[in-house]
Amino acid sequence: MESKFYEDAIDYWAQVPATLEGVLGGFEFISDDDVKGSSSFLEELFCCKNSSPPERNIALDCGAGIGRVTKFLLTKYFDKVDLVEQNQQFLEKAHHFIDNPDKIGTMYASGLQNFKPDKKYDVIWNQWVLGHLKDADLIEYFITCGNSLNPNGLIIVKENVTSSNKLEKDEVDSSVTRPMKHLLRIFKKAKLKIVKELKQEDFPKGIYPVHMFALRPNI
Ligand SMILES: C[S@@+](CC[C@H](N)C(=O)[O-])C[C@H]1O[C@@H](n2cnc3c(N)ncnc32)[C@H](O)[C@@H]1O
């Protein structure tokens, strides 16, 4: 059985409409700038100047919601995209929402804390979901992701970070927002090294700063 922290998040997301507005908590107007920022970040990682760019065969969209990141970003860069999302209603919506179904591989209905990939990926994209994992589970999850990468594969993390430098809890959706130093400590414990890091630009003032990280196992 899942702990209350996870159960509460399941209950929260169960009553959220399967729409862009729903998955972005009323901030759907930032989606275009978000995708622009993610595209530039990815393109720099693919760039020939980068010593070991990932392949573009298959990506995994984690905590995928209705498939926003898959539809507007990942299907533009990868031949196939798998999705993992614990809310079944969101996954059903994703089938209709994503307009190039030939690019969609497997949709897994699972919490990330329980997810064990059965294949390897070039990119594993995690956006606005990792605050729903407890620290110990997040470290385990990152280790699992690291073991599920193809050669030159990358884990991408795109998450809010606090400006207060403190961990902030959200009792409404049962999540936490971590300060940068906390996130860096988790990467270190999971033995991940940062290949690239960038702050998302052009987001409205008054929301959490959003940072993108490209990570690889530190071997
Ligand atoms: C803020 S939405 C972001 C969705 C998507 N990543 C995006 O950027 O459009 C958070 C998503 O995480 C999912 N989620 C919450 N807890 C999760 C967990 N433990 N495992 C997998 N998905 C989870 C929710 O159901 C929801 O779809």
Side-chain angles (χ1 to χ4, degrees):
M1 214 182 87
E2 295 284 15
S3 72
K4 185 167 166 16
F5 179 71
Y6 291 115
E7 290 293 347
D8 286 354
I10 290 170
D11 293 346
Y12 171 80
W13 286 106
Q15 49 82 45
V16 170
T19 58
L20 266 189
E21 191 182 1
V23 292
L24 291 185
F27 282 86
E28 69 281 9
F29 58 92
I30 67 173
S31 186
D32 287 351
D33 284 333
D34 166 58
V35 172
K36 245 183 252 166
S38 300
S39 300
S40 319
F41 189 68
L42 255 188
E43 277 171 26
E44 284 181 37
L45 292 165
F46 286 136
C47 171
C48 47
K49 277 183 266 166
N50 185 291
S51 53
S52 43
E55 298 293 321
R56 297 187 185 206
N57 299 319
I58 182 159
L60 177 66
D61 182 2
C62 299
I66 60 171
R68 184 186 67 90
V69 174
T70 294
K71 170 171 172 154
F72 296 118
L73 180 78
L74 299 175
T75 51
K76 315 279 185 234
Y77 291 97
F78 296 90
D79 295 341
K80 271 279 180 262
V81 183
D82 286 355
L83 289 79
V84 52
E85 162 60 50
Q86 71 180 6
N87 182 310
Q88 188 68 51
Q89 255 176 281
F90 289 173
L91 280 182
E92 274 156 31
K93 175 65 181 264
H95 279 288
H96 312 289
F97 183 66
I98 301 163
D99 36 23
N100 35 2
D102 48 312
K103 289 232 172 176
I104 303 308
T106 310
M107 291 193 184
Y108 301 94
S110 171
L112 297 183
Q113 66 280 13
N114 302 316
F115 185 63
K116 301 281 177 245
D118 56 14
K119 61 183 90 143
K120 304 230 176 193
Y121 294 95
D122 298 314
V123 161
I124 299 182
W125 193 278
N126 302 274
Q127 181 161 359
W128 286 325
V129 63
L130 300 179
H132 282 293
L133 265 60
K134 294 178 181 184
D135 283 4
D137 292 336
L138 181 54
I139 293 165
E140 275 308 305
Y141 168 73
F142 276 147
I143 293 170
T144 302
C145 288
N147 291 330
S148 307
L149 291 174
N150 282 325
N152 294 346
L154 287 169
I155 299 166
I156 307 292
V157 168
K158 186 166 187 178
E159 289 291 339
N160 296 345
V161 297
T162 62
S163 335
S164 64
N165 232 4
K166 293 190 180 123
L167 185 88
E168 294 180 16
K169 293 184 183 173
D170 185 335
E171 305 289 351
V172 177
D173 69 359
S174 191
S175 71
V176 296
T177 303
R178 298 177 171 96
M180 181 65 89
K181 61 177 181 199
H182 193 135
L183 214 43
L184 297 182
R185 202 159 57 231
I186 288 178
F187 295 158
K188 200 171 174 191
K189 285 192 176 167
K191 297 193 168 48
L192 295 176
K193 68 172 176 211
I194 299 173
V195 172
K196 188 172 180 61
E197 192 255 325
L198 205 63
K199 186 175 176 226
Q200 169 72 42
E201 287 176 355
D202 301 325
F203 270 4
K205 289 200 174 70
I207 65 169
Y208 283 120
V210 175
H211 286 255
M212 296 173 270
F213 303 87
L215 304 154
R216 255 191 197 129
N218 199 358
I219 38 169

